[in-house]
Amino acid sequence: MLFLVRMDVNIPHDLPDAQAADIKAREKAYAQALQNDGRWRHLWRVVGEYANYSVFDVGSNDELHTLLSGLPLFPYMKIHVTPLAQHPSAIA
Ligand SMILES: O=C(O)CC1=CCC(=O)O1
């Protein structure tokens, strides 16, 4: 099952720099592990925003929820999920 996910990051200004850096490092490792196992298919920066569009390929809504809620940045993100279906005109 494919899902388009937009993540908008909003780290509070009063979060200590070292703590923010640690969260970002853990986020990167988490994201790269999921890209390596094929479940995080695309990760694109939104130009000019601290946000990304991602495509996930997972087995269920519950799996996606578990995966997203495990993101180290989860407490600091607004996440919008769009489930994707086949388009009848798509050639691939
Ligand atoms: O920087 C972001 O868009 C948030 C994020 C998701 C995965 C990652 O490494 O950073």
Side-chain angles (χ1 to χ4, degrees):
M1 300 167 71
L2 293 174
F3 295 88
L4 176 67
V5 178
R6 177 173 171 129
M7 304 178 202
D8 287 272
V9 185
N10 190 359
I11 297 175
H13 294 299
D14 60 356
L15 195 72
D17 287 348
Q19 203 176 326
D22 175 64
I23 293 167
K24 288 179 194 174
R26 288 188 290 112
E27 179 85 6
K28 184 173 185 173
Y30 186 93
Q32 292 187 336
L34 289 167
Q35 288 171 77
N36 279 324
D37 78 19
R39 287 183 289 174
W40 196 324
R41 287 256 205 107
H42 293 275
L43 171 55
W44 294 97
R45 177 63 76 218
V46 179
V47 174
E49 298 183 45
Y50 193 0
N52 72 73
Y53 275 108
S54 292
V55 174
F56 288 87
D57 188 357
V58 293
S60 67
N61 292 4
D62 288 341
E63 182 180 356
L64 182 65
H65 183 75
T66 299
L67 188 158
L68 294 176
S69 55
L71 288 163
L73 278 172
F74 183 76
Y76 309 111
M77 292 199 289
K78 187 165 76 76
I79 298 178
H80 186 264
V81 176
T82 305
L84 300 175
Q86 293 289 330
H87 193 289
S89 304
I91 59 168

